[in-house]
Amino acid sequence: MAQESASQQFAQLKDLDALHHLHPFTTHSSLRSGGARVIVRGEGPYIYDSEGKRVLDGMSGLWTTAVGYGREELAKAAYDQMLELPFYNTFFRTTHPPVVELSRKLAEMAQAPLNNIFYGSSGSESNDTAIRLIRHYWALKGEPKRRIIISRKNAYHGSTIAAGSMGGMSHVHAHSYPVYDGFRHIMDPYWYGEGEDGESLEDFGLRAARVLEDEILAIGPENVAAFAGEPVQGAGGVKIAPKTYWPEIQRIVDKYGILLLADEVITGFGRMGTWFGSDYYDIRPDIITFAKAATSGYMPLSGIFVHDKIVDALMAHNDDFNHGYTFSGHPVACAVALKNIEIMERERLVERVNEFAAPALAKMLAKFKDHPLVGEVRSVGMLGAIELVADKRKRRRFAEPGRVGLMCRNHFFQNGFIMRAVYDTMVTAPPLICTQAHFDEAEAVIRKSLDQTLNDVAGEIAA
Ligand code: PXG
């Protein structure tokens, strides 16, 4: 009886959700007819829905819950800070202990010249801050013409007008009417999609990086402010650049003296087995943007690390940088970030990714490379992808991109493991705490779901 009324309540909740809640990146007409899945609880790497179904969360919420769900310590850190000082702003020469402590901690963790942090509450805000600061920097340096930021196709940098324009997703641009001026997009380092027949990964990496130089020369180096890129493209399909790519990008950026912005909203805070993806690739960004796993998502917090040379330019200029958010350096979010980093250090989660979890994920995914539906598997750190194709020998995709990915994603959820479909690329970013038992559980679901999908599309697969 009690159970029945709970399920009635959830049915009503779904109806109300469809009536009153506009979801991000969602086809609302379909939501109104089917309703959303109601997620009610999380514990460790698992989430639970309103039907009582337990699902292993292979997407960490959305590339976010590094330390997993249900951490009482994080709740306690928020609770204590809320009682002490739930909010005060950091404008007008005020500060508070959590923001100072977090800034000191982050400066210690980052590469040497990144000693200052500017805060926001989302990755999009951070990228907007970075865009404004980059342009302001060049104006302060007496080169105001340097305004253009070059980024990559299929990059995701957020949904605000500026961050969405810096991103390279055409379906986002299509809803910006028109794209905000001053951004150019070059090819992404996606060997599986863009590599030519017989082209090695290494050669392709160099070719993809050198497009940056061509673009700089075409625009005129005197007009270029920065290059922006995610160390690994996440929402674009976990596209992992060949090893030759980032060193060549660094060479080009240095040669033309433009700034390098590393968007580490996904790769920051341990996901690659290093604190930052920039450490993994040994690149030297002038700005790093971060969000998501800084708090494991328990509170919204984002920020940008700023190179000393940019800070020096601000210092030399006796005026405001006219930018900031009410919640820049929110005390509760900062307290939670500090505790989250403490947990990661105490449990050696970053080292653990390196020593155990990343190799375990890679090994598990590699078991699917001979599956008839799978064109490629790839992974780095705790980021992985499976390409679903119609003809694996010819790297031929399915007609109507995304249809098969969506079918597969639904099987995954039904079978108990969340992967996200980026068109027909299945991607995963599991919590950093996953054990071998979790990888085994994921493996069984992936096998079953790929077989079910293969069954659905059997007639479309090349023999
Ligand atoms: N940069 C990167 C690299 C991101 O992945 C953002 C910036 C923007 O962060 P906010 O906090 O403003 O959302 C992101 C966000 C997906 C998906 O479908 C990915 C993100 C957000 C929503 C959906 O994979 N990444």
Side-chain angles (χ1 to χ4, degrees):
M1 187 64 192
Q3 212 167 12
E4 197 175 298
S5 75
S7 78
Q8 275 169 356
Q9 265 178 24
F10 285 123
Q12 203 180 28
L13 201 76
K14 283 186 192 193
D15 289 345
L16 289 172
D17 180 79
L19 277 175
H20 298 297
H21 176 194
L22 286 176
H23 293 239
F25 283 92
T26 295
T27 305
H28 291 99
S29 53
S30 77
L31 195 65
R32 291 213 167 171
S33 55
R37 204 169 259 129
V38 184
I39 310 301
V40 291
R41 197 167 76 78
E43 189 63 45
Y46 294 100
I47 55 163
Y48 296 79
D49 73 8
S50 58
E51 329 271 291
K53 189 176 174 58
R54 184 180 91 154
V55 185
L56 183 57
D57 183 6
M59 279 308 297
S60 299
L62 202 48
W63 323 88
T64 297
T65 51
V67 302
Y69 300 93
R71 294 273 191 171
E72 207 175 332
E73 275 181 278
L74 293 178
K76 177 90 171 38
Y79 177 87
D80 290 346
Q81 185 57 45
M82 279 188 188
L83 286 184
E84 188 72 19
L85 178 71
F87 173 67
Y88 198 74
N89 74 74
T90 51
F91 292 52
F92 319 128
R93 303 185 70 148
T94 55
T95 191
H96 49 70
V99 76
V100 180
E101 280 169 43
L102 180 62
S103 305
R104 187 188 60 174
K105 181 72 196 166
L106 291 175
E108 251 171 46
M109 289 163 59
Q111 301 171 69
L114 300 173
N115 283 308
N116 285 261
I117 295 95
F118 191 108
Y119 294 97
S121 307
S122 70
S124 303
E125 284 179 2
S126 277
N127 281 318
D128 274 34
T129 301
I131 292 161
R132 296 198 63 200
L133 189 57
I134 286 166
R135 291 181 174 162
H136 187 51
Y137 168 76
W138 285 117
L140 292 176
K141 298 294 280 181
E143 295 194 63
K145 271 177 64 190
R146 282 195 187 259
R147 287 181 48 77
I148 295 178
I149 298 176
I150 303 172
S151 64
R152 280 115 33 115
K153 294 190 174 131
N154 300 307
Y156 189 68
H157 295 301
S159 264
T160 49
I161 301 247
S165 305
M166 186 163 80
M169 296 200 165
S170 48
H171 58 287
V172 175
H173 295 169
H175 292 182
S176 293
Y177 311 106
V179 176
Y180 186 53
D181 191 25
F183 298 93
R184 301 289 167 84
H185 302 93
I186 60 173
M187 90 194 272
D188 46 2
Y190 178 36
W191 178 83
Y192 190 76
E194 306 283 340
E196 281 163 12
D197 274 350
E199 189 177 26
S200 71
L201 263 169
E202 288 74 18
D203 287 349
F204 171 72
L206 288 176
R207 177 161 72 87
R210 286 177 185 156
V211 176
L212 174 61
E213 188 156 22
D214 298 342
E215 189 70 17
I216 292 172
L217 292 172
I219 297 167
E222 71 283 4
N223 298 312
V224 181
F227 172 73
E230 308 154 69
V232 174
Q233 275 170 292
V238 180
K239 291 172 177 164
I240 304 166
K243 324 197 256 305
T244 46
Y245 181 79
W246 279 109
E248 185 67 1
I249 291 282
Q250 184 75 58
R251 181 191 69 75
I252 296 166
V253 160
D254 290 345
K255 178 172 172 188
Y256 295 97
I258 66 174
L259 298 179
L260 176 58
L261 161 54
D263 179 341
E264 300 235 24
V265 167
I266 285 178
T267 54
F269 294 91
R271 186 148 291 283
M272 296 183 66
T274 45
W275 278 107
F276 297 97
S278 300
D279 304 331
Y280 184 92
Y281 287 115
D282 212 9
I283 51 176
R284 298 182 304 280
D286 300 293
I287 294 181
I288 291 178
T289 53
F290 66 89
K292 296 188 184 280
T295 59
S296 285
Y298 282 64
M299 283 292 292
L301 177 98
S302 70
I304 79 173
F305 288 92
V306 185
H307 194 289
D308 289 351
K309 74 181 181 196
I310 300 175
V311 176
D312 290 347
L314 289 174
M315 296 290 175
H317 171 72
N318 271 334
D319 203 356
D320 288 2
F321 169 43
N322 297 313
H323 179 81
Y325 310 106
T326 303
F327 293 149
S328 286
H330 191 287
V332 180
C334 290
V336 171
L338 276 163
K339 187 55 80 179
N340 180 56
I341 294 166
E342 186 190 313
I343 293 172
M344 291 180 81
E345 286 181 336
R346 192 177 68 225
E347 297 183 5
R348 298 183 68 253
L349 288 183
V350 182
E351 293 85 347
R352 196 176 168 281
V353 168
N354 238 335
E355 292 157 11
F356 160 71
L361 175 68
K363 194 167 154 207
M364 186 270 282
L365 289 175
K367 294 185 182 167
F368 298 103
K369 70 180 191 323
D370 295 327
H371 192 280
L373 200 56
V374 174
E376 181 187 70
V377 298
R378 56 179 177 268
S379 71
V380 62
M382 286 288 264
L383 288 166
I386 302 176
E387 298 278 2
L388 307 181
V389 289
D391 184 340
K392 63 189 284 160
R393 267 170 311 182
K394 296 190 178 142
R395 281 197 232 166
R396 185 169 57 78
R397 297 183 179 278
F398 291 99
E400 206 194 319
R403 179 180 58 94
V404 179
L406 210 58
M407 285 154 71
C408 188
R409 185 187 80 181
N410 291 339
H411 288 311
F412 270 109
F413 194 96
Q414 278 315 317
N415 296 327
F417 181 60
I418 294 182
M419 279 182 81
R420 169 160 147 41
V422 178
Y423 297 105
D424 295 327
T425 309
M426 304 307 296
V427 300
T428 181
L432 309 190
I433 52 164
C434 281
T435 62
Q436 189 55 51
H438 297 127
F439 288 117
D440 292 346
E441 190 178 332
E443 181 185 331
V445 173
I446 295 175
R447 176 158 297 112
K448 183 170 176 196
S449 308
L450 287 177
D451 288 347
Q452 286 171 324
T453 311
L454 180 63
N455 199 37
D456 297 338
V457 296
E460 301 169 50
I461 295 278

